Amino acid sequence: MIQEELFLSTLIQKGLLKQSDASVLLQEAQSLEKSVEEIIYERNLIDEKILAQVKGELFKLPIKQFVKDEIIPQSILNLIPEDTARHYGFIAFSKDNNILNVGMVYPNNLKAQEALKFITARLNLDFRVFIITPSDLRNALKQYQTFSEEFQALLADFQKRFSGVQKKQSPFKLVDLESTAGAVAEEAPIIKLFASILKYGVRSRASDIHIESERNKVRVRFRIDGNLATTLTLPLAIHSAITSRVKIMANLKIDETRLPQDGRFFSVIDEKEIDFRISTFPTALGEKIAIRILDPSVGLKSIHELGLEGRNLEVLQKEILKPYGMILITGPTGSGKTTTLYAIMQVLNQDKVNIVSLEDPVEYTMEGINQSQVLPEIGYTFARGLRHMVRQDPDIIMVGEIRDEETAELATHSALTGHLVLSTLHTNNAVGVIPRLMDLGVDAFLIPPSLNLMMSQRLARRLCPDCKKRVVASEKEQQIIEEILSSLPKKEKEELSYEKPYYLYKAKGCPTCNNKGYLGRVGIFEVMKMTPELEQIILSQPSQEKLLLEAKRQGMITLQQDGILKVLEGEVGLEEILSITAKY
């Protein structure tokens, strides 16, 4: 979006970036097909206000700084459609006679320039470009018509239309002998309603949407940053119409209400192709619908975006370059294991290697990777797929999950016969991988030569960057931090730059995070590798105590320790880390 070399050269001259970091950024931008500036914004490498000043000087453009709670007149805002503003990163904020003032995050983006010229030409207006920060753009975009406003008239119409047929739902069928068929919602309003729910789910960064029938209403809940909360309620009478609409879109059987069904469809929202995975489930009060939102811009991340830092990142980067062996990632459901696998595959995805994956299901399609979805109902299991996969001349094999003895055995032998195998397991921590493999029937003497790396992870809610404030930790919090830091490996202790009194960050909520205090999630990790010392322990009946001692000898940073380091860096809250590592 900006002439990369010129932009990087300017940042280096101003002392905002090192030459070595600039070279790495340029390579990553090319491999990820992103601009250098996008990566800098995503990782908060340079303060966005400073970056705006640099761009202002570089392009000789003025800078627009929005004051707190600045309101843009709707008549001005709506001159540029919301979808266009989101996609191209610009927004109209005022008008001087025949000149439209437009704030742009990427003023040198040729496609954005063309779009702006086209829009203003149709409006018979000239335009003046100002540079704005991504934060100001996000806040300004929120001034478009909100979800509740968008539905107000529609829901009022539904309530009025179905007020006479609202009845409490019961597990037992109530037959009214005097009545015939119940009311059915018209198709057009239902289509509009459901489309708006999906759009709002994507824009809210929801990972899942739940549509549930209750006794006297339909509840719609969004899961955002791992937390499920009610977003809106709908009249009970339109439940069957919404269910039918979902089934039509996912190509499911409309008349089948007694059995669970699974389906999938995709749609374009805000210029992005979004996959929606549908699951229906019969309950006593009607069918429940769960919709998984698969947004590639959210779900596909680079290794650096996951939250891997320091030793954890160094060890992983070294191990994934080995030609064969297993890399196993562990953690509970919803801890981001698949996202990490995809991030690793993005690094390894080159023309000279053949990568084949077995997934259940395929969440994101990746160019250059042969992805296959297992179908247990027809006998196409992970084990069966693995047997046939090795005949495809693979260099790298990704197996969604090792969940049975046959898959574990085949994955181990694949690693021994010259393949790099990536997969996941369900264990509480990294050291739990070894006893789990032995439980699955893998011989102890096969584990050391086949297993390269064990990594455990969890997801923690990231504090909102716009409303988090630095505060002194309380006396109790100081003690907790001190205790965890004292158990850090010697090398990390020596490099530690934090001293008493410790400072934490807390967020009270703002418009950017919808008053939640959190915006997105970040991973916490622990990484353990195979060593000669670990091999001896495995061959001599390993115990949990011996494995933990070896992990400590290696200098492994535990989940809780990695979490505390992120707490002190201001990425996450202390309560969040203590909560997700409590059982660990």
Side-chain angles (χ1 to χ4, degrees):
M1 292 180 182
I2 293 176
Q3 293 178 359
E4 310 285 51
E5 291 80 3
L6 176 61
F7 181 54
L8 287 170
S9 176
T10 305
L11 294 177
I12 293 167
Q13 287 174 8
K14 291 183 175 291
L16 298 172
L17 207 62
K18 294 179 181 177
Q19 180 68 55
S20 57
D21 293 335
S23 302
V24 173
L25 281 173
L26 200 56
Q27 291 177 355
E28 288 183 14
Q30 292 169 352
S31 64
L32 297 173
E33 296 184 354
K34 291 182 178 181
S35 72
V36 165
E37 189 180 2
E38 283 179 300
I39 297 174
I40 290 173
Y41 280 133
E42 287 171 2
R43 298 182 192 165
N44 297 316
L45 298 178
I46 301 173
D47 184 87
E48 59 180 20
K49 291 182 180 178
I50 295 175
L51 214 54
Q53 295 288 344
V54 172
K55 288 193 292 181
E57 295 173 13
L58 195 60
F59 300 119
K60 296 180 172 44
L61 290 172
I63 296 167
K64 165 63 179 174
Q65 292 184 340
F66 287 85
V67 299
K68 187 177 181 181
D69 300 326
E70 181 174 341
I71 303 298
I72 301 172
Q74 285 292 319
S75 58
I76 301 296
L77 192 69
N78 292 328
L79 291 174
I80 295 177
E82 182 182 0
D83 288 353
T84 302
R86 288 180 181 277
H87 180 68
Y88 291 109
F90 58 64
I91 199 153
F93 60 87
S94 66
K95 189 159 76 80
D96 300 326
N97 297 321
N98 200 46
I99 298 176
L100 186 65
N101 294 321
V102 179
M104 299 184 74
V105 176
Y106 306 108
N108 207 42
N109 182 343
L110 295 178
K111 290 184 178 179
Q113 291 175 13
E114 290 170 5
L116 183 56
K117 288 175 184 176
F118 177 76
I119 292 169
T120 51
R122 289 183 61 183
L123 296 170
N124 292 320
L125 294 173
D126 292 325
F127 64 88
R128 183 187 297 119
V129 171
F130 292 75
I131 292 174
I132 60 173
T133 64
S135 295
D136 280 342
L137 176 67
R138 286 195 299 268
N139 291 332
L141 287 171
K142 290 174 184 174
Q143 296 189 41
Y144 279 100
Q145 189 179 37
T146 64
F147 184 60
S148 56
E149 291 167 348
E150 184 178 346
F151 278 93
Q152 191 173 5
L154 189 59
L155 291 180
D157 179 55
F158 280 137
Q159 294 286 5
K160 186 186 297 183
R161 190 179 305 172
F162 297 116
S163 60
V165 295
Q166 287 284 86
K167 294 179 181 178
K168 285 190 175 182
Q169 191 87 294
S170 169
F172 305 101
K173 186 178 180 182
L174 174 64
V175 179
D176 186 349
L177 299 179
E178 302 296 326
S179 176
T180 56
V184 178
E186 294 177 7
E187 187 177 357
I190 290 295
I191 291 173
K192 182 179 178 183
L193 175 69
F194 184 61
S196 297
I197 289 173
L198 294 183
K199 284 182 181 179
Y200 189 63
V202 171
R203 290 169 183 170
S204 301
R205 300 175 300 101
S207 60
D208 300 88
I209 299 174
H210 295 252
I211 302 175
E212 302 157 315
S213 175
E214 297 188 334
R215 288 186 177 274
N216 53 10
K217 66 180 183 294
V218 175
R219 178 174 63 166
V220 180
R221 295 191 290 170
F222 287 3
R223 187 180 295 280
I224 301 174
D225 296 335
N227 287 350
L228 202 58
T230 300
T231 303
L232 77 155
T233 57
L234 301 170
L236 181 62
I238 68 171
H239 177 257
S240 61
I242 285 187
T243 303
S244 296
R245 176 62 183 161
V246 175
K247 288 182 175 180
I248 288 169
M249 295 180 75
N251 200 26
L252 303 178
K253 296 178 182 178
I254 299 176
D255 57 346
E256 180 56 79
T257 60
R258 300 166 301 170
L259 294 172
Q261 296 187 71
D262 294 320
R264 195 167 185 163
F265 66 89
F266 79 92
S267 185
V268 177
I269 296 177
D270 297 336
E271 305 292 332
K272 297 184 294 186
E273 280 194 5
I274 309 294
D275 275 341
F276 297 95
R277 206 167 73 212
I278 309 298
S279 173
T280 69
F281 186 76
T283 73
L285 299 178
E287 286 184 281
K288 178 186 183 301
I289 299 166
I291 304 171
R292 170 63 58 88
I293 299 174
L294 301 169
D295 182 351
S297 66
V298 175
L300 288 177
K301 298 182 182 294
S302 71
I303 281 183
H304 298 280
E305 294 172 306
L306 298 175
L308 282 159
E309 299 169 349
R311 175 190 177 273
N312 290 342
L313 181 59
E314 289 173 13
V315 174
L316 179 63
Q317 287 179 321
K318 182 179 179 181
E319 294 299 322
I320 62 177
L321 295 178
K322 290 185 176 179
Y324 58 88
M326 278 196 297
I327 294 175
L328 299 180
I329 303 170
T330 79
T333 302
S335 61
K337 299 187 297 295
T338 303
T339 301
T340 301
L341 286 179
Y342 278 124
I344 293 171
M345 285 197 293
Q346 283 188 84
V347 175
L348 299 173
N349 188 10
Q350 299 176 33
D351 191 53
K352 64 182 180 181
V353 296
N354 178 23
I355 304 177
V356 187
S357 76
L358 272 177
E359 305 175 47
D360 184 21
V362 174
E363 294 198 3
Y364 302 102
T365 54
M366 297 177 67
E367 196 74 26
I369 294 176
N370 305 287
Q371 297 170 266
S372 181
Q373 180 166 319
V374 298
L375 295 168
E377 59 270 23
I378 62 170
Y380 183 35
T381 60
F382 280 121
R384 186 172 181 180
L386 252 175
R387 279 195 221 98
H388 290 275
M389 186 186 284
V390 293
R391 300 172 193 163
Q392 290 292 317
D393 184 32
D395 299 293
I396 299 165
I397 295 171
M398 193 278 261
V399 182
E401 183 185 346
I402 295 176
R403 59 176 67 153
D404 56 56
E405 292 184 9
E406 191 175 6
T407 307
E409 182 185 357
L410 289 167
T412 302
H413 282 284
S414 296
L416 289 170
T417 53
H419 304 93
L420 183 63
V421 179
L422 313 173
S423 192
T424 70
L425 276 176
H426 281 290
T427 67
N428 288 331
N429 50 29
V431 299
V433 168
I434 292 164
R436 178 62 180 149
L437 287 175
M438 296 175 77
D439 288 342
L440 288 170
V442 179
D443 292 325
F445 68 89
L446 293 178
I447 294 176
S450 63
L451 182 60
N452 293 353
L453 190 76
M454 301 140 274
M455 184 164 79
S456 182
Q457 68 178 78
R458 302 288 189 276
L459 288 178
R461 291 176 295 173
R462 196 191 295 266
L463 292 171
C464 174
D466 288 358
C467 62
K468 68 180 182 182
K469 301 293 181 186
R470 189 168 178 255
V471 298
V472 180
S474 67
E475 187 176 341
K476 185 177 180 181
E477 289 170 336
Q478 298 272 357
Q479 291 174 354
I480 293 170
I481 295 168
E482 180 70 25
E483 183 180 344
I484 297 173
L485 290 181
S486 66
S487 63
L488 276 171
K490 183 180 178 181
K491 184 180 177 183
E492 272 63 35
K493 273 187 191 175
E494 291 171 352
E495 296 175 355
L496 208 61
S497 59
Y498 304 103
E499 296 178 355
K500 280 190 172 183
Y502 298 116
Y503 286 84
L504 307 177
Y505 287 79
K506 297 189 179 182
K508 62 180 181 179
C510 68
T512 301
C513 58
N514 291 324
N515 295 312
K516 302 290 185 184
Y518 301 97
L519 194 65
R521 291 189 286 178
V522 65
I524 60 170
F525 302 87
E526 61 180 25
V527 176
M528 185 178 183
K529 61 182 180 179
M530 184 58 63
T531 61
E533 292 83 359
L534 181 56
E535 179 177 358
Q536 291 304 313
I537 293 171
I538 294 170
L539 296 176
S540 60
Q541 295 301 315
S543 66
Q544 186 82 354
E545 185 181 356
K546 288 181 180 178
L547 292 172
L548 287 171
L549 284 172
E550 167 57 18
K552 188 174 182 179
R553 189 203 65 77
Q554 284 186 21
M556 185 185 84
I557 299 170
T558 67
L559 288 170
Q560 195 172 66
Q561 290 167 348
D562 190 37
I564 286 296
L565 293 176
K566 287 183 170 66
V567 167
L568 295 172
E569 289 166 8
E571 290 190 70
V572 295
L574 178 61
E575 298 85 356
E576 178 82 356
I577 293 301
L578 295 178
S579 172
I580 63 178
T581 60
K583 293 183 180 179
Y584 164 75

